């Protein structure tokens, strides 16, 4: 073993002294043979591929120690578009055109095997220099003397990428082999140019299993020694790029490059450079020039761009647009490409020539934004500022331009000048569009530029600081949380935030965060995998009580899915942001994110703000100014009161597409007023009349809109220095002709009124012929300005469907008729084609481009090649995988494609047309049955509409007749079989059994005559677990399915209502045929008010067709509704019954719904079973408990229990399973008690009370317990004779104030309400409730007061008095002798203050003082809202004031004797008064040394708290006569 180790050591040391760097120095010229092959397509032999071949001799000679000349000799270019590998390359005439440039020698620096700078004359184009770089790239060798296996980051044509070296020596042949491989997915600086990918993000997590785009290159060198060193005798390079959108390992489309450099000879003749200055032209890395200007889908020789643009415009603008021709989208792409080569002067010349011709003008303005050059942007700016574009034209152009123009410093500067110009800024619409566009330009530039500081784009630390700052507005903190999670925080940070959230004081923030993390726990998308795992841990830390918060609190929702094999996914999220527990949230943000082939994009985002809209719509406009002095007098007593900022009546909406905001709109007060005037004004009849006048003489309209839907390109160099690209193009053109004419009877007069329009008979005739053509191209291959070779997938869709419609509206007779006329047949409604091609061509023979289908008719399969060169999995490209492994030879197999050609026709019943679909398909599944082999080939679908055999059809007609004339419109008399026949008798008996029942106890409630409640022994109905739900459910089902509930049905006679009452509506849909044979359906509806019954009958109007559908509904009682739907022959084949009941289960209200399928068609049961398979998954997502308990067949039951006013228990029973959920929190409180204050027949007041209870915030007091708007209860004693602010509008508007006062005689609590221009006192006197208005008592017997503005009402309610002022924010104030209740409207939530609180739903932040501070003591909080007096002679008779008090005990603080004063005001008697009653209150104190001479009362309420102690607050005082 020692001998072996020693031998290896000696060999290693010996190898360290070998210099393997190629020796190019000296006076000799080295001549090599160079060949480069570039292909695109699939790896399968026998399929068509496209490519080129470059042959040349390469001469290399050193001119100095580190400078070398390189010259190409006899260059030749070949094209290939044929069956690989049997077809031959074809020589091109292009060689003679580029040979002169290719043969100009270049210089390059070469030191220790590393290529440095490249030098060439200016006449050598960049494209040619890149070809030289492909050759120089072979000579790039980073060789180490001490290692034979190593890894480096090596520079090359494609950038700096990870490169592995393997060096081995062959002593027998006396040469050294060097192998290196470059992983092109692991590059620090990859040379790539992307077009149209600005808004696309890379989904790293999605590509961990499979990469959609991957690439690698391997190099093999044979080095032989020379007298002065070593030389390269042979070098081979193989590079493969492959792309797949599917997870199929061996079936990716590929681009392959092969290079060979073979030593020929050494010559003594020198290389003579041309007589021109050699300029530095970069280094080894590829340089882009005009690649983006050349479209890969069509090769064009551009000689005179302006003339060629004119030719393209003539082709497009002169075509008739009745139907869009199939080649128009491709011509539109051609127009865009030509205009990219046009200068500003050329574009202006074209505009001057055609701007007065509408068709040409429109095509130019549609194409200019897609051109995307600086010249195009200059043209837009210049023409608009010159007044040559209308505002609609400019808006359309600008919206498209910002997304298509190349974003660089020059275009941004140009756009900035346009956006900030006076003409744009003066127009509000243009200003918004321009500024949004400017932001988009900056975002696009920063996303692809290294010059945009990355630090500005990192937001995680910023938003984290915002979120943890609890002093900021809750909405701002919630938005920061959303942004924070988009940055994908670490698990540690998420858990830390979860722990901090346990002490979060704001429930809106806590609710959004909790619901967001809970939604993420269910995510299955790879992008959210780490954050979902962190959320699962964090959710266990947080309190489950947060999950019980209603939907009035902020919520987050997330739904996503991802299919790994298809590499396709989507995610949808929605955030509902609120800040005051209002019914209408403050903001809603919804976003859809899509994933494809490892890329991600925010497809659409919509945000809506409603802050202030509700208030602006519902607030009364009558806010009297004279209310302010009275309001301010009250507020001045609250010396430290701070008003909340007034909310602006503002709503807004924004729309983002691909992450960029494309639209934003504000809704302010002015907009609302304009909308109100428009909808309620008197100009509506005039507008309608003018529209009718305009179309009386006939109106024709033509429209065509071309659109470059997609231009997505990724361009990168191959090892040979030739640009390759993946690209996707899609263009669409939509066109349509519309002709409209109206006949008005009687003719319209000059003055049009509503009454005139109501007596008008209008007949409208419209003809429309919409046509759409879409063309899509997916290209993979090489693309230069002089030669192209690529594999291409082409798709084309063309639709055309002309229509003619006639509508009649007779408002006087309540008759409406619409008739559709048959189209001119035949019609080629839809044509769709898809084909895959191999194409090669050059500019010397543009019209001779070689295009062949990728899949030939016959393929020869050679089984000897088990693994082809490029049969490698995505993401696993290396030197080991790019090899050809040969197996024992087998006989070739000949396989032939089997094209599919089918025609399917189906006659559309009754309307006389035959729809035929022709399907043609020829794919490569005869070679291999995989997804991609199914796709390649040629496929087509044609849908034609032709006339069917039989009588011709005049049209389709739909007529609606309302009212008394409905019976006269019936085309078929409705009749049923004789009821005396046994069959009909049995049917009627069944109907009666279901819908009838004897009324055993007319006066009993639902509970008394229906055994639908649980027994008391099992009626705890806590529903604390799914098992309890199932047990209760089982007990309940026995009663509900027993049929006993039908006993409550009132007896009704199952009869046809048409025998006794006329129909209220008739709807007839029919086919109008030339033979006048009736075909179609007739619907009639009947209403029998005495029996509370409704009936709908649908019949076939065909003479011998007895098909009918009968729907009966009966309102049996206030608690019971029944319905039955039957259909088939005489309504006897199939039937479904529905029963809905309400009542009580024990003390809990309950609702019950049963759907019984007596007999249904097989197709319904089949689909029902299919849907049932998805129910368990949906139940798991929605939190429903599920059991496999079997229930009654063909029956579905829904049971809803209301255990409390804020929760529901729900049970859903199907034949195969039972679903349940318990304690479902409602967003509103169900007002069962409130509606009992009115008689059951007082529907108006019941509905009003329902609205008040569900939408308003309620504050009430019973005895000494006050319940705030936020349902917080606290006990306190009201000070005698002093007013306190019970509730008020705390904004600067001061719309209302409600004061409370306890009189010092009987200690009754009286209310004073200040609203609008009135003061209302409601008080108790002599066992009666009294009312004063502005100091004058008004009689309360049958009181019914209404303010002159109609915004305030006072009336009797129950045992008390109620005041209503919803337009002023005060929904209701209710007062009785022993209690009071105050309701504020929904839009006032979060804007109130006083003893009742802020009504913002924040139960953790209750006690807010007038100055906005939070206090922990309910007594201190209540006293802070007292309106104190300045002296004993105050008219309010209050004898108290608020002041800071000294702590009456010795305090040692920090080792010093200190004096302490309260930093919270304490209620005390005025000087000269003594307390008669006190109550303890705990307040905070601030202390300082007793030796201090500072005035403690200066800013005492701003001081910090040193300790908290209890002191006495005075609540009743007595003063002597000398009190000042």
């Amino acid at each position: 073993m020692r001998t072996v180790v020693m031998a290896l050591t000696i060999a290693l040391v010996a190898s360290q002294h070998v210099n393997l760097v190629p020796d190019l120095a000296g006076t000799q010229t080295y001549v090599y043979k160079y060949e480069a092959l570039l292909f695109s397509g699939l790896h399968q032999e026998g399929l068509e591929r496209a490519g080129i071949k470059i042959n040349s001799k390469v001469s290399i000679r050193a001119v100095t120690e580190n400078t070398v000349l390189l010259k190409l000799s006899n260059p030749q270019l070949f094209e290939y578009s044929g069956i690989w590998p049997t077809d031959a390359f074809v020589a091109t005439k292009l060689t003679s055109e580029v040979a002169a440039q290719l043969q100009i020698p270049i210089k390059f620096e070469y030191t220790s095997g590393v290529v440095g700078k490249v030098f060439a004359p200016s006449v050598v184009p960049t494209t040619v220099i890149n070809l030289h770089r492909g050759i120089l790239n072979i000579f790039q060798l980073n060789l180490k003397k001490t290692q034979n296996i190593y890894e480096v980051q090596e520079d090359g044509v494609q950038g700096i990428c990870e490169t592995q070296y393997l060096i081995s020596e062959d002593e027998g042949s006396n040469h050294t082999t060097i192998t290196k491989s470059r992983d092109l997915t692991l590059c620090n600086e990859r040379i790539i140019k992307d077009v149209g990918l600005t808004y696309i993000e890379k989904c790293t997590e999605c590509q961990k299993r499979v990469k959609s785009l991957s690439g690698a290159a391997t190099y093999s060198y044979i080095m032989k020694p020379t007298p002065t060193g070593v030389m390269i005798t042979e070098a081979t390079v193989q590079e493969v790029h492959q792309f797949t959108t599917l997870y199929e390992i061996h079936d990716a489309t590929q681009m392959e490059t092969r290079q060979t450099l073979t030593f020929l000879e050494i010559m003594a003749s020198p290389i003579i450079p041309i007589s021109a200055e050699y300029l530095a032209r970069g280094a080894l890395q590829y340089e882009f020039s005009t690649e983006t200007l050349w479209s890969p889908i069509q090769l064009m020789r551009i000689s005179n761009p302006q003339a060629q643009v004119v030719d393209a415009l003539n082709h497009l603008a002169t075509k008739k647009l009745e139907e869009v021709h199939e080649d128009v989208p491709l011509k539109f792409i051609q127009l865009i490409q030509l205009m990219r080569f046009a200068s500003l002067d050329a574009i202006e010349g074209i505009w001057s020539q055609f701007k007065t011709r509408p068709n040409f003008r429109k095509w130019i303005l549609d194409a200019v934004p897609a051109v995307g050059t600086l010249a195009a942007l200059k043209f837009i700016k210049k023409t608009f500022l010159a007044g040559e574009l209308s505002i609609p034209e400019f808006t359309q152009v600008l919206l498209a331009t910002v997304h298509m123009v190349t974003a660089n410093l020059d275009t941004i500067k140009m756009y900035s000048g346009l956006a900030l110009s006076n003409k744009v800024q003066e127009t509000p619409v243009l200003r918004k569009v321009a500024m949004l566009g400017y932001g988009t330009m900056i975002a696009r530039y920063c996303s692809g530029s290294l010059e945009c500081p990355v630090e500005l784009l990192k937001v995680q630390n910023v938003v984290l600081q915002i979120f943890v700052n609890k002093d900021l507005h809750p909405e701002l903190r919630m938005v920061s949380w959303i942004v924070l999670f988009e940055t994908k925080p670490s698990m540690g940070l998420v858990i830390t935030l979860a722990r901090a959230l346990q002490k979060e004081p704001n429930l809106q923030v806590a609710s959004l965060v909790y619901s967001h993390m809970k939604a993420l726990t269910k995510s299955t998308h790879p992008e959210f995998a780490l954050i979902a795992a962190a959320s699962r841990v964090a959710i266990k830390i947080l309190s489950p009580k947060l999950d019980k918060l209603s939907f009035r609190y902020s919520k987050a929702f997330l739904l996503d899915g991802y299919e790994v094999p298809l590499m396709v996914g989507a995610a949808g999220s929605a955030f509902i942001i609120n800040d005051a527990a209002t019914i209408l949230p403050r903001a809603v943000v919804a976003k859809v994110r899509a994933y494809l082939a490892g890329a991600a994009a925010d497809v659409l985002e919509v945000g809506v703000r409603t802050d202030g809209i509700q208030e602006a719509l519902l607030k009364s406009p009558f806010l009297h100014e004279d209310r302010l002095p009275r309001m301010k007098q009250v507020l001045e007593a609250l010396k430290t009161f701070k008003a909340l900022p007034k909310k602006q009546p503002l709503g807004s909406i924004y729309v983002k597409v691909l992450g960029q905001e494309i639209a934003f709109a504000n809704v302010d007060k002015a907009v609302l007023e304009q909308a109100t005037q428009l909808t309620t004004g008197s100009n509506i009849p005039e507008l309608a009349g003018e529209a009718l006048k305009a179309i009386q003489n006939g109106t024709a309209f033509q429209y065509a809109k071309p659109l470059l839907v997609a231009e997505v390109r990724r361009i990168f160099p191959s090892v040979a220095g030739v640009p390759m690209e993946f690209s996707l193009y899609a263009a669409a053109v939509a066109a349509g002709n519309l002709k409209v004419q109206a006949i008005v009877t009687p003719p319209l007069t000059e003055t049009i009124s509503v009454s005139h329009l109501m007596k008008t008979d209008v007949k409208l005739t419209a003809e429309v012929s919409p046509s759409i053509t879409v063309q899509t191209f997916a290209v993979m291959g090489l693309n230069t300005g002089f030669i192209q070779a690529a594999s291409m997938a082409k798709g084309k869709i063309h639709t055309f469907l002309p229509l003619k419609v006639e509508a009649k509206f007779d408002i006087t007779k309540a008759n409406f008729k619409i008739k559709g006329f048959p189209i001119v047949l035949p019609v080629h409604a839809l044509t769709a084609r898809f084909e895959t091609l191999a194409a090669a061509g050059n500019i010397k023979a543009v019209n001779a481009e070689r295009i062949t289908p990728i899949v030939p008719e016959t393929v020869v399969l050679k089984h000897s090649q088990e693994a082809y060169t490029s049969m490698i999995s995505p993401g696993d490209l290396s030197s080991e995988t790019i090899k050809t492994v040969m197996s024992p030879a087998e006989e070739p197999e000949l396989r032939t494609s089997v094209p599919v050609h089918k025609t399917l026709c189906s006659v559309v019943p009754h309307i006389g047309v035959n729809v035929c679909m022709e399907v043609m398909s020829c794919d490569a599944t005869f070679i291999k049955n995989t997804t991609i082999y199914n796709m390649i080939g040629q496929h087509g679908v044609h849908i034609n509409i032709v006339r069917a055999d039989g009588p011709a059809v005049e049209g389709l007609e739909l007529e609606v007749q309302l009212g008394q004339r409905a019976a006269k419109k019936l085309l078929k008399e409705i009749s049923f079989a004789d009821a005396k026949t046994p069959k009909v008798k049995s049917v009627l008996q069944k109907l009666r059994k279901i819908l009838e029942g004897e009324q055993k106890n007319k006066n009993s409630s639902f509970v008394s005559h229906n055994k639908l409640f649980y027994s008391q022994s099992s009626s705890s109905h806590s529903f604390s677990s799914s098992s309890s739900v199932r047990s209760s459910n089982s007990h309940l089902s026995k009663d509900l399915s027993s049929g006993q509930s039908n006993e409550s049905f009132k007896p009704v006679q199952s009869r046809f209502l048409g025998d006794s009452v006329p129909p209220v509506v008739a709807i007839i849909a029919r086919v109008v045929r030339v033979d006048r044979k009736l075909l179609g359906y007739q619907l009639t509806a009947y209403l029998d008010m005495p029996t509370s019954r409704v009936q709908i009958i649908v019949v076939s109007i065909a003479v011998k067709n007895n098909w009918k559908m009968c729907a009966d509904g009966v309102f049996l009682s206030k608690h019971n509704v029944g319905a039955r739907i039957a259909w088939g022959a005489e309504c006897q084949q199939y039937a479904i019954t529905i029963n809905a009941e309400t009542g009580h289960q024990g003390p809990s209200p309950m609702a019950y719904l049963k759907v019984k399928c007596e007999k249904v068609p097989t197709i319904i049961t089949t689909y029902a079973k299919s849907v049932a398979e998805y129910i368990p998954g949906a139940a798991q997502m929605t939190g429903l408990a599920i059991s496999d308990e079997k229930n009654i067949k063909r029956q579905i039951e829904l049971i809803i229990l209301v255990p409390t006013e804020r929760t529901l228990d729900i049970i859903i029973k199907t034949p195969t399973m039972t679903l349940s959920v318990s304690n479902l929190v409602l967003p509103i409180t169900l007002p069962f008690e409130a509606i009992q204050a009115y008689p059951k027949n007082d529907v108006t007041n019941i509905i009003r009370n329902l609205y008040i209870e569900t939408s308003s915030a309620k504050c009430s007091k019973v005895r000494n317990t006050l319940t705030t708007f936020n349902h917080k209860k606290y006990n306190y004693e009201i000070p005698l004779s002093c007013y306190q602010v019970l509730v008020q509008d705390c904004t600067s508007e001061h719309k209302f104030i409600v004061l409370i006062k306890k009189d010092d005689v009987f200690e009754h609590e009286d209310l004073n309400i200040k609203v609008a221009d009135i003061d209302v006192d409601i008080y108790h006197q002599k066992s009666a409730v009294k009312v004063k208005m502005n100091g004058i008592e008004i009689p309360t017997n049958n009181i019914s007061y209404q303010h002159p503005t109609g915004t305030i009402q006072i009336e009797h309610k129950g045992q008390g008095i109620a005041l209503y002022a919803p337009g002023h924010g005060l929904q209701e104030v209710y007062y009785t002798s022993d209690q009071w209740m105050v309701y504020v409207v929904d839009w006032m939530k979060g804007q109130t203050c006083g003893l009742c609180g802020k009504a913002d739903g924040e139960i953790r932040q209750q006690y807010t003082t007038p100055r906005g501070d939070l206090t922990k003591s309910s007594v201190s909080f209540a006293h802070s809202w007292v309106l104190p007096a300045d002296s004993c002679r105050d008219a309010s008779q209050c004898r108290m004031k608020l002041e800071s008090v000294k702590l009456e005990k010795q305090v040692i603080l920090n080792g010093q004797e200190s004096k302490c004063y309260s930093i919270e005001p304490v209620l005390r008697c005025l000087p000269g008064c003594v307390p008669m009653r006190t109550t303890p209150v705990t307040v905070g104190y601030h202390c300082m040394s007793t030796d201090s001479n500072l005035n403690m009362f200066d800013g005492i309420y701003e001081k910090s708290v040193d300790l908290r102690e209890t002191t006495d607050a005075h609540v009743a005082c007595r003063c002597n006569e000398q009190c000042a």
Side-chain angles (χ1 to χ4, degrees), residues 1271-1496:
H1271 309 289
K1272 179 76 172 180
K1273 294 184 179 182
Y1274 63 91
N1275 297 322
Y1276 87 105
E1277 184 177 359
I1278 297 180
L1280 291 180
S1281 302
C1282 290
Y1283 277 111
Q1284 283 182 281
V1285 177
L1286 186 59
V1287 59
Q1288 74 171 60
D1289 172 14
C1290 277
T1291 68
S1292 58
E1293 283 193 329
H1294 309 307
K1295 292 181 284 293
F1296 66 85
I1297 296 180
V1298 180
L1299 304 175
I1300 187 171
K1301 178 181 179 181
K1302 180 184 285 188
D1303 72 74
D1304 56 359
V1305 180
F1306 299 102
E1307 298 193 2
H1308 292 144
E1309 295 178 9
D1310 305 331
L1311 298 184
N1312 173 262
I1313 306 162
K1314 303 178 189 296
V1315 60
D1317 58 344
I1318 61 174
D1319 267 15
V1320 180
D1321 291 287
I1322 307 178
Y1323 56 96
H1324 187 266
Q1325 187 181 74
K1326 296 181 181 180
S1327 301
V1329 177
K1330 303 290 185 179
V1331 178
K1332 285 184 179 180
M1333 184 176 296
N1334 294 334
I1336 300 175
E1337 184 173 332
I1338 59 177
T1340 57
N1341 295 331
N1342 298 323
I1343 183 173
S1344 181
Y1345 168 81
Q1346 184 168 351
H1347 193 270
T1349 62
T1351 60
I1352 305 172
Q1353 290 179 318
I1354 304 175
E1355 62 182 33
H1356 265 292
K1357 176 181 177 182
Q1359 301 300 317
I1361 298 292
L1363 178 146
Y1364 303 96
H1368 299 271
L1370 198 58
Q1371 182 67 60
E1372 179 185 351
V1373 178
Y1374 178 66
Y1375 180 90
T1376 66
S1377 58
D1378 58 352
Q1379 67 171 341
W1380 52 258
M1381 289 179 286
V1382 178
Y1383 299 84
V1384 293
V1385 296
D1386 186 65
W1387 49 267
M1388 276 301 301
K1389 291 178 179 178
Q1391 303 182 70
T1392 64
C1393 58
L1395 297 177
C1396 288
K1398 295 179 66 175
D1400 59 359
E1402 295 296 334
I1403 60 176
R1404 298 178 179 178
Q1405 306 177 61
Q1406 281 294 312
Y1407 304 136
T1408 305
T1409 65
R1411 64 192 308 269
D1413 297 330
L1414 291 176
T1415 180
K1416 297 181 179 180
S1417 170
S1418 60
V1419 177
S1420 178
F1421 158 72
H1423 290 174
S1424 70
W1425 289 101
V1426 169
L1427 302 183
D1430 292 328
S1431 69
C1432 299
R1433 299 176 182 177
D1434 196 294
S1436 66
Q1437 299 180 354
C1438 183
R1439 303 294 181 256
M1440 304 170 211
K1441 67 175 181 177
L1442 290 165
E1443 63 181 8
S1444 175
V1445 298
K1446 183 178 181 181
L1447 183 61
E1448 300 297 335
K1449 71 174 185 179
Q1450 185 179 2
V1451 176
I1452 304 298
L1453 189 66
N1454 297 327
Q1456 293 183 344
E1457 186 176 347
S1458 303
K1459 51 185 178 183
C1460 303
Y1461 295 84
S1462 66
I1463 65 167
E1464 300 172 43
V1466 178
L1467 197 61
R1468 290 293 174 90
C1469 293
L1470 290 168
C1473 303
V1474 294
M1476 300 297 296
R1477 194 182 305 167
T1478 63
T1479 186
V1481 58
T1482 301
V1483 294
Y1485 286 86
H1486 180 76
C1487 305
M1488 65 185 305
S1489 173
T1490 55
D1491 298 333
S1492 175
N1493 294 324
L1494 296 177
N1495 187 352
M1496 278 294 295

Side-chain angles (χ1 to χ4, degrees), residues 467 481 485 489 493-499 501 510-523 531-542 546 556-558 575:
F467 176 73
W481 172 266
F485 261 60
L493 178 57
V494 173
I495 295 173
T496 301
L497 291 173
R499 293 190 181 279
L501 202 67
S511 177
L512 181 106
V513 172
Y514 182 88
S515 60
H516 190 200
M517 289 197 292
K518 184 177 180 181
L520 283 168
T521 61
K522 301 177 182 179
S523 174
I531 199 71
S535 297
R536 293 186 189 101
V537 177
I539 208 74
K540 297 177 181 178
I541 299 174
L542 297 173
L546 295 174
F557 302 92
L558 175 67
F575 298 92

Side-chain angles (χ1 to χ4, degrees), residues 641-945:
F641 176 76
K642 293 181 180 179
L644 296 175
K646 176 186 174 183
K647 288 191 175 181
Q648 297 295 325
L650 176 68
S652 62
I653 182 171
Y654 73 85
V655 179
K656 288 185 178 181
V657 175
L658 296 176
Q660 299 302 307
E661 193 167 323
I662 63 168
F664 178 84
N666 275 334
V667 180
D668 54 19
K669 188 175 181 180
V671 173
L672 290 175
E673 290 175 351
Q674 292 174 4
T676 303
Q677 291 176 0
L678 183 63
T679 55
T680 61
S682 59
N683 57 345
I684 294 180
E686 296 179 5
L687 294 176
E690 292 299 327
L692 289 174
K693 287 180 180 178
I695 59 178
Q696 267 187 304
N697 298 325
T699 299
F701 177 73
Q702 288 187 345
Y703 180 79
K705 177 64 179 178
L707 182 65
L708 183 62
V709 180
E711 184 183 13
V712 178
R713 305 172 67 182
R714 167 158 285 186
I715 307 171
F716 52 89
S718 66
V719 289
V722 178
M724 290 184 152
E725 73 171 271
F726 295 102
S727 57
L728 174 67
Y729 279 78
V733 178
N737 291 336
L738 176 64
K739 297 179 181 179
V740 182
Q741 187 170 15
I743 300 175
V744 182
T745 308
L748 296 174
T749 60
E750 291 297 327
T751 304
I752 301 174
S753 63
V754 175
S755 60
H756 187 191
L757 288 177
M758 294 298 291
K759 297 176 182 179
T760 301
D761 183 4
V762 180
K763 178 182 177 181
L764 287 175
T765 303
E767 294 183 29
V768 60
S769 54
S771 177
I772 300 175
T773 298
V774 181
Q775 282 188 283
T776 304
F777 305 87
V779 184
M780 178 187 68
L782 61 95
N783 176 33
T784 66
F786 55 87
I787 192 168
Q788 292 179 342
S791 298
M792 181 186 303
K794 297 173 60 176
K796 183 183 295 184
I797 298 175
H798 176 73
T799 64
F800 177 63
L801 189 63
L803 300 172
K804 183 179 180 181
V805 179
E806 182 182 279
K808 294 181 180 180
F809 305 94
D810 191 338
I811 301 176
T812 304
K813 298 179 181 179
N815 180 264
F816 310 94
K817 183 185 293 185
I818 298 177
K819 185 176 181 181
F821 293 91
I823 56 179
V824 179
L825 300 176
V827 169
H828 303 293
L830 173 68
T831 300
R833 290 198 297 271
F834 176 83
E835 58 183 340
T836 51
L837 306 168
N842 63 85
I843 57 172
K844 292 292 289 183
V846 173
N847 297 326
E849 187 177 12
R850 303 176 69 242
I851 302 176
T852 55
I854 286 182
V855 182
E857 294 183 359
T858 304
V859 173
V860 178
L861 298 182
K862 296 182 180 179
H863 296 285
S864 60
Q865 262 193 327
E866 290 295 328
Y868 186 67
T869 302
S870 53
M871 288 181 62
I872 49 181
S873 62
D876 189 29
L877 293 168
S878 65
S879 60
E880 295 299 320
T881 56
I882 306 183
K883 291 183 178 179
T884 302
V885 181
M886 306 296 292
S887 64
E890 297 180 10
E891 289 296 325
E893 179 183 353
L894 184 67
R895 294 188 183 180
T896 304
S897 64
V898 183
V900 176
H901 189 175
K902 294 182 179 180
T903 301
L904 305 174
C905 291
S906 177
V907 177
V908 181
H910 310 313
I911 66 173
V913 298
N914 196 2
V915 179
C916 294
M917 181 174 68
E918 183 182 5
V919 179
M920 298 161 287
S921 180
C922 179
D923 55 34
T925 53
F926 67 97
I927 302 173
K928 187 186 297 185
N929 190 12
T930 61
T931 304
I932 196 167
Y933 279 76
N934 271 275
M935 293 172 59
I936 63 174
Q938 297 182 2
H939 311 275
V941 175
H942 301 281
I943 297 179
N944 299 320
I945 303 175

